[in-house]
Amino acid sequence: MKQDFKIQGLSKLGEFLHQFLQNSEEEYSLEEAELFALMKKSEVENPWFTIENQRFCFKNWADILKIENIKNWLSEYQISHFSKKVGLILAGNIPLVGFHDVMCVILSNHIPIIKLSSKDRLILPFLLNKWGEFSEWNLEYQFVEKLSDYEAIIATGSNNTARYLEYYFKDSLSIIRKNRTSVAVLNGNETDDEIKLLAEDIFRYFGLGCRNVTRLFIPKDFELSKLFENFIEFKDVVNHHKYANNYDYNRAIYLLNQEKFWDNNFVMLKEDDALFSPLSVLNFSRYENMEDVKLFLNENETGIQCVVAKPELEISDSIYFGEAQNPNLNTYADNVDTMRFLEVI
């Protein structure tokens, strides 16, 4: 019974976000106006969280938080009869990146003890409060500055932070996430529309998410101009001062070091085998044999979150262009099933 209330409340939260996105500022209800004020404050506190990117995030949640989606997702799992406290250390690289973890814990009948990122501290509490109101049930969760009194841990951080977290929580059941990024594999037959969809995978959230593509594999004779021509819809990213600072800095370093790169005044392409690229830079490598690409993907799977490619390339678990920033409810960070973990704690 309690679970039914939670599911219904969560679907109503999706409906609330959908209605919010449909309305103009003049049409906002008091609750919608409160949310918009928090969005503006979030952008002030963290300039990466533009209103546009926050709205994009809300749209994804509005699209998937439908009651049939939630029930179908949860039908694969056993919900615990006993509530335990699960400590959550949330990231703040893109808006609401930690909401899925919180949602998993609550729907597993556990209690999230939440340490918010200082970069994303306003919207999640609002949404959890609304979820509780829509559920007509008291959702159990806590926000804390320091974690204590927990029975399991889910934490997200950089590779350096992860080493500290693994040591600190070595005696606890835990999921400790590290840096990941995403890649795209082209076969040279992509249409302009497909490359434009790829641009969404690259530039959305300014490239700050683990699902953002930072490395391309392209055929030996692929013309780079085809990329630049179809990236142009995102040219305004360079008007964002923090992105522009990264672009100017990296460009200056490459010029100073006399490194070869291709530039269209808002993103640079660099022939480099590294998975991770600096912000405003997209690494690429040319291939002759698709099997070599697949071998690289297998050898580096612990650093890769998503592979974007056409289905015809038959790359395991790849997703289509434009889908990287639209994860489903059963899409888990680091490809570790959070709900399965929560079943056994």
Side-chain angles (χ1 to χ4, degrees), residues 128-306:
L128 286 181
N129 183 60
K130 295 305 300 176
W131 182 4
E133 289 179 9
F134 292 138
S135 299
E136 300 179 7
W137 197 277
N138 181 33
L139 294 184
E140 290 187 84
Y141 57 87
Q142 299 174 31
F143 291 105
V144 298
E145 289 299 318
K146 184 176 181 180
L147 289 177
S148 61
D149 189 24
Y150 51 81
E151 293 163 279
I153 288 289
I154 301 174
T156 305
S158 66
N159 288 350
N160 287 335
T161 303
R163 284 192 287 270
Y164 164 77
L165 293 173
E166 286 172 343
Y167 176 79
Y168 190 82
F169 297 118
K170 64 182 184 296
D171 297 324
S172 303
L173 290 169
S174 64
I175 296 176
I176 308 295
R177 303 198 184 104
K178 302 177 182 179
N179 286 348
R180 287 203 178 209
T181 190
S182 297
V183 304
V185 183
L186 309 185
N187 66 1
N189 297 325
E190 288 77 15
T191 65
D192 287 346
D193 287 340
E194 286 174 325
I195 301 298
K196 287 174 183 175
L197 289 173
L198 172 62
E200 181 76 39
D201 300 327
I202 295 167
F203 294 105
R204 176 59 58 188
Y205 303 126
F206 300 102
L208 291 168
C210 67
R211 301 181 68 85
N212 283 104
V213 170
T214 59
R215 166 78 186 278
L216 293 180
F217 295 87
I218 60 177
K220 188 175 181 180
D221 57 352
F222 190 90
E223 292 289 341
L224 295 180
S225 59
K226 185 171 184 178
L227 297 175
F228 282 147
E229 289 165 4
N230 291 294
F231 287 174
I232 200 68
E233 291 181 9
F234 282 88
K235 65 181 186 302
D236 287 340
V237 292
V238 81
N239 294 328
H240 188 279
H241 69 281
K242 291 180 78 68
Y243 182 94
N245 288 343
N246 280 271
Y247 170 82
D248 291 339
Y249 173 80
N250 289 314
R251 188 173 186 276
I253 292 295
Y254 293 159
L255 289 171
L256 186 65
N257 293 337
Q258 298 184 332
E259 296 185 59
K260 187 177 182 180
F261 66 97
W262 291 258
D263 182 16
N264 72 344
N265 297 318
F266 66 89
V267 66
M268 288 165 282
L269 297 177
K270 190 169 185 292
E271 195 160 6
D272 194 314
D273 289 337
L275 265 183
F276 294 85
S277 64
L279 200 67
S280 76
V281 180
L282 186 59
N283 289 343
F284 74 92
S285 59
R286 297 185 181 274
Y287 68 87
E288 296 185 42
N289 188 331
M290 181 56 65
E291 293 308 311
D292 291 338
V293 175
K294 293 180 180 180
L295 180 61
F296 179 93
L297 298 178
N298 288 333
E299 290 176 345
N300 292 274
E301 63 179 351
T302 58
I304 297 173
Q305 184 65 48
C306 307

Side-chain angles (χ1 to χ4, degrees), residues 37-50 54 92 117-123 241-242:
L38 288 173
M39 292 169 68
K40 291 194 288 187
K41 188 174 180 181
S42 291
E43 185 177 25
V44 171
E45 291 191 2
N46 181 357
W48 293 117
F49 285 17
T50 62
Q54 290 184 72
S117 167
S118 60
K119 298 177 181 178
D120 187 14
R121 64 180 191 87
L122 299 175
I123 303 298
H241 69 281
K242 291 180 78 68

